[in-house]
Amino acid sequence: MTEKLKVSTDLQKLWQRGCDFLGVPYAIMGGAMTWVSERSLVSAISNAGGFGVLASGSMNPDLLRAEIQGTKELTKQPFGVNLITLSPHLMGLIDVCIEEKIKHVVLAGGLPSGESIQRLKDGGCKVICFAPALVLAKKLVRMGVDALVLEGMEAGGHIGPVTTSVLAQEILPHIREIPVFIAGGIGRGEAMLSYLEMGAAGCQLGTRFVCATECVAHPKFKTAFIRSSARDAMPSVQLDVRFPVIPVRAIVNEASKEFARTQQCVVERFSRGEITQQEGQLEIEHFWAGALRRAAIDGDIEFGSVMAGQSVGMVTKEQPTIEIIQELIAQAETALEGRLIA
Ligand SMILES: Cc1cc2nc3c(=O)[nH]c(=O)nc-3n(C[C@H](O)[C@H](O)[C@H](O)COP(=O)(O)O)c2cc1C
């Protein structure tokens, strides 16, 4: 691991629970990003003292195994794996995590089944889940999950309707049994600190890590991040309640406009009786298939999906992962010092 920055006693106290849970010096998780969070970025985050998480969104069990083994070659520090509960390969992916002795698995993309949680726990994995509301947070605790992530709608990628600050206030005071991490819209250390002071065990960031030097995202994808402001990262628009759209926050581009036109066209054809509701819904859902890869890997930032959170405005340059992490810590420390002096 690269030279560690010494953390003040005050900051250490605030995130000790998160550090102990993850087994890392800094309770900063690198949110898994499909196509982006592969061995290079994940190992860089873990080597810098944070907790990298591999994204398996595009992988079958064989690919995941290869990626885990590749990551282990690049870091001896702990890292986790993110599994999408809707994956047709879920049980196979779980088995790979267990066989590869992964200690932390994040289950994303909807409420996980009791079976998947149990299988992971029986296999020796700690299970981390997303809680989009207090009632679900309590249910997940009862189901035996080991930690929660509260992710607000400021985040990049698939989002819910509630902001990070409201989720934190709604859930943090009521869940003390297990560590809770906060994600969505965190671009600087002061924000990270404020959630720790509210009782969070640590934070998870995605957008801030896209322009890490070690990140394999296409240079055009990174440039789009560097050029964009918070207002450019918007949720996908739904035109008609009969054709629901799962909101995804991404930088507005030609594809966003084309998506609106596609929905308009579907609604018109449905109204004329030319297609069924189911056919229309499928067409809408199909629109974004492969779009993140097109942007993040192929560099087609106009017709692909440039998923990014509102903190994109705080991404101003490409920089080494360790610098990003140390900057976040330094900002938190300065804010803490300021308060102690005052
Ligand atoms: C390009 C991109 C891809 C993402 N892909 C995933 C994913 O595959 N699985 C997941 O659970 N979250 C995904 N996320 C969400 C991140 O893991 C993380 O929680 C989020 O980025 C945190 O909010 P922030 O972007 O405001 O830092 C993605 C986010 C981005 C920006």
Side-chain angles (χ1 to χ4, degrees):
M1 188 172 49
T2 330
E3 187 69 28
K4 256 196 297 166
L5 193 77
K6 182 121 179 58
V7 166
S8 68
T9 322
D10 292 310
L11 182 55
Q12 195 58 48
K13 264 192 216 151
L14 283 169
W15 69 14
Q16 189 68 53
R17 194 179 188 192
C19 296
D20 291 345
F21 175 74
L22 298 169
V24 294
Y26 314 137
I28 299 175
M29 297 171 73
M33 297 178 275
T34 298
W35 296 113
V36 176
S37 300
E38 46 65 80
R39 64 187 77 181
S40 176
L41 179 61
V42 170
S43 61
I45 293 173
S46 291
N47 284 335
F51 187 82
V53 182
L54 277 176
S56 70
S58 60
M59 294 179 194
N60 62 31
D62 288 342
L63 285 173
L64 177 62
R65 191 187 302 281
E67 209 49 43
I68 291 174
Q69 291 176 353
T71 309
K72 283 181 188 166
E73 280 169 22
L74 299 174
T75 184
K76 296 286 164 263
Q77 306 307 317
F79 66 92
V81 173
N82 176 297
L83 303 179
I84 309 285
T85 54
L86 297 172
S87 165
H89 309 293
L90 182 63
M91 288 305 167
L93 295 167
I94 286 178
D95 289 343
V96 167
C97 290
I98 295 169
E99 284 156 24
E100 292 297 326
K101 304 202 178 340
I102 291 295
K103 291 281 161 262
H104 299 77
V105 171
V106 183
L107 290 175
L111 197 66
S113 67
E115 189 197 352
S116 53
I117 294 174
Q118 204 49 52
R119 190 139 154 184
L120 282 163
K121 288 180 72 90
D122 290 346
C125 301
K126 290 187 174 121
V127 183
I128 306 169
C129 292
F130 288 86
L134 180 58
V135 53
L136 291 172
K138 288 184 174 168
K139 186 177 167 128
L140 287 163
V141 172
R142 284 197 303 274
M143 286 169 87
V145 310
D146 300 286
L148 294 175
V149 178
L150 312 182
E151 184 181 66
M153 51 98 84
E154 298 92 322
H158 292 83
I159 50 170
V162 183
T163 59
T164 306
S165 63
V166 168
L167 278 181
Q169 293 170 78
E170 179 187 326
I171 302 178
L172 278 177
H174 304 287
I175 304 288
R176 303 310 303 159
E177 303 90 324
I178 56 174
V180 181
F181 295 81
I182 302 288
I186 301 175
R188 292 183 53 99
E190 295 87 342
M192 197 173 73
L193 174 67
S194 72
Y195 290 122
L196 294 174
E197 288 181 321
M198 286 173 73
C203 289
Q204 169 166 302
L205 288 77
T207 298
R208 277 292 264 116
F209 287 117
V210 168
C211 290
T213 318
E214 298 87 346
C215 172
V216 296
H218 195 282
K220 286 188 181 165
F221 195 76
K222 292 186 179 180
T223 306
F225 271 59
I226 292 165
R227 287 196 183 144
S228 297
S229 72
R231 288 141 199 87
D232 298 319
M234 300 291 286
S236 42
V237 175
Q238 172 182 311
L239 284 197
D240 191 306
V241 283
R242 291 169 300 180
F243 295 98
V245 168
I246 300 169
V248 169
R249 188 177 296 283
I251 294 170
V252 174
N253 61 3
E254 282 304 319
S256 337
K257 293 175 204 157
E258 188 55 36
F259 185 49
R261 284 193 286 271
T262 298
Q263 289 182 68
Q264 183 72 44
C265 181
V266 162
V267 172
E268 283 166 11
R269 280 154 58 222
F270 174 67
S271 307
R272 290 197 296 266
E274 291 169 15
I275 52 168
T276 65
Q277 194 162 354
Q278 200 186 9
E279 283 165 343
Q281 187 65 39
L282 266 182
E283 205 173 307
I284 287 171
E285 281 168 18
H286 208 77
F287 181 89
W288 292 109
L292 178 57
R293 183 186 199 288
R294 203 177 311 150
I297 302 299
D298 303 339
D300 184 355
I301 54 165
E302 277 310 327
F303 294 96
S305 173
V306 188
M307 291 183 189
Q310 291 186 327
S311 62
V312 73
M314 286 168 258
V315 178
T316 54
K317 58 181 182 219
E318 194 172 26
Q319 58 188 141
T321 301
I322 188 157
E323 203 177 289
I324 298 172
I325 290 188
Q326 296 197 347
E327 229 173 66
L328 291 164
I329 296 172
Q331 288 158 349
E333 296 281 24
T334 308
L336 260 174
E337 275 165 30
R339 267 172 238 171
L340 294 178
I341 292 161

